[in-house]
């Protein structure tokens, strides 16, 4: 059974989609998971604790100040024991509370007290989901490391209402749970260490309104920075233009061009390890036009290019400030391993994280990544997993290599 022995804490908040949570509990238990449930007061208006208890096989927890439950398990144990906390349905109100770290009932207190991963399956009216406040909260929670499944588009429970806001179906939530059940690095795995991460694309100007860039979303680099911070490192993230919020607990430096990225990266040295996850534009236009280039009756403009500095190679070869561990990425569309090996040599780094970005793999911009770790001694294929999970595994491997205090379950 895929979830055998896994402990899931399900928080049911108050929304009509709460009826689907009963099915979710059943699906999780069928797969061998042990499900413990917290219901908010509002959730109990939609499904009864009796029904939830019958499906879960144990009494749901409902009160913060419940003497018998507190003696039995206690809210701190509720927060610490699960492998993953799932909030389904997650309401706009609960998301807002999480953003502000409020703890005025059992659900919000446990969500604040936990060090476990939290997966939210939002469900709300489309207008509430699209409201700027909810979108702000959504972005903030993602930057804090909370992961999401849904909401989905479609017909809402209120008749005639359509749009983005439906809770994901129980089986999609189960799939998201399976993907997110990976171990985070230990909180002190990288304490006392400084890690530099580059992320996102660079943007090389042609004129004041045009530029050369690429499809990098920054998801992998940002996940690495966040994960290194979770592991207790001092993290400097040098990020090209991305639509992701700055990760919590990380010093983020925003840059546009490759040259600026190089300067900011060099400025962040010394560091114990450097991870170059950015997709740096290889070329820049030699001379940026001072004014917007105008069309000239069918005459095509000619641009001349210069090669950008190679940030990874420059820092790998730094005479006195080379970090102990330098990690590059290789985005390849063919001959993945051979090209990655060649890059390892050419750039002078210690590891290459090689990923296939050929058409159809959806690595660029997507949530998952299938990588190979290429080192001087061999090639390690890793399974297809979320970018978060890749980041967690890589951070654990870095901690082992740097001899951090406690790497915590490194592969
Ligand atoms: N990189 C860098 N500076 C550059 C180009 C690449 O730091 N100017 C880093 C990337 O962050 C990545 C690694 O080098 O860690 C490899 O990037 P990739 O785009 O795969 O390789 P390129 O060097 O651009 O080689 P090619 O385009 O020929 O595959």
């Amino acid at each position: 059974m895929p979830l055998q022995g896994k402990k899931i804490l399900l928080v049911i908040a108050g929304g009509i989609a709460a009826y689907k949570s009963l099915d979710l509990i059943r699906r999780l238990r069928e797969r061998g998971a042990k499900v413990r449930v917290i219901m908010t007061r509002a959730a109990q208006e939609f499904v009864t604790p009796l029904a939830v208890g019958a499906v879960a096989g144990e009494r749901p927890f409902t009160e913060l100040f419940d003497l018998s439950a507190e003696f039995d398990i206690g809210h701190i144990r509720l927060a610490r024991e699960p492998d993953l906390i799932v909030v389904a349905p997650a309401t706009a109100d609960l998301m807002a509370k999480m953003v502000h770290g409020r703890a005025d009932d059992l659900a919000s207190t446990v969500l604040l007290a936990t060090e476990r991963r939290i997966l939210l399956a939002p469900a709300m009216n489309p207008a509430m989901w699209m409201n700027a406040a909810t979108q702000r909260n959504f972005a903030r929670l993602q930057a804090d490391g909370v992961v999401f499944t849904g909401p989905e588009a479609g017909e809402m429970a209120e008749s005639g209402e359509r749009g983005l806001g439906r809770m994901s179906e129980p089986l999609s939530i189960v799939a998201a749970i399976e993907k997110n059940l990976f171990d985070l690095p230990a909180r002190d795995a990288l304490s006392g260490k400084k890690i530099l991460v580059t992320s996102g694309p660079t943007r090389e100007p042609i004129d004041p309104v045009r530029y050369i860039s690429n499809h990098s979303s920054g998801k992998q680099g940002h996940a690495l920075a966040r994960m290194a911070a979770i592991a207790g490192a001092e993290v400097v993230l040098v990020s090209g233009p991305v639509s992701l919020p700055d990760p919590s607990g990380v010093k983020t430096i925003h840059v546009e061009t490759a040259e600026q990225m190089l300067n900011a990266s060099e400025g962040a040295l010394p560091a114990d390890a450097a991870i170059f996850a950015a997709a740096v534009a290889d070329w820049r236009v030699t001379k940026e036009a001072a004014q917007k280039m105008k069309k000239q009756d069918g005459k095509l403009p000619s641009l001349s290019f210069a090669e950008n500095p190679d940030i990874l190679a420059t820092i790998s070869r730094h005479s006195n400030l080379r970090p102990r561990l330098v990690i590059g990425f290789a985005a390849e569309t063919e001959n993945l391993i051979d090209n990655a090996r060649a890059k390892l040599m050419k750039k002078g780094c210690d590891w290459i994280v090689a990923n296939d970005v050929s058409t159809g793999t959806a690595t660029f911009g997507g949530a998952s990544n299938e990588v190979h770790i290429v080192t001087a001694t061999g090639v390690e294929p890793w399974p297809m997993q979320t970018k978060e999970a890749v980041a967690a595994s890589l951070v654990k491997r870095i901690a082992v290599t740097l001899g951090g205090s406690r790497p915590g379950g490194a592969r």
Side-chain angles (χ1 to χ4, degrees), residues 198-200 202 204 214 258 261-262 265 275-283 307-315 327-333 339 343 346-347 349 351-353 355 357 364:
T198 70
S199 182
T202 64
E204 312 295 334
N214 58 62
M261 189 173 270
L262 174 64
S265 300
I275 314 170
F276 295 91
V280 183
D282 290 317
W283 306 285
E307 197 162 306
N308 268 331
D310 191 316
I311 305 166
L312 169 61
T314 308
I315 290 187
I327 304 168
F329 273 69
E332 305 292 345
T333 56
N339 283 338
K343 243 168 225 179
K346 196 172 119 200
K347 309 238 178 185
C349 57
W351 307 345
I352 287 275
V353 182
N355 54 34
V357 292
F364 266 138

Side-chain angles (χ1 to χ4, degrees), residues 393-406:
S393 299
L394 204 62
V395 162
K396 286 184 223 165
R397 209 178 194 284
I398 293 168
V400 172
T401 306
L402 294 181
S405 37
R406 208 156 49 85

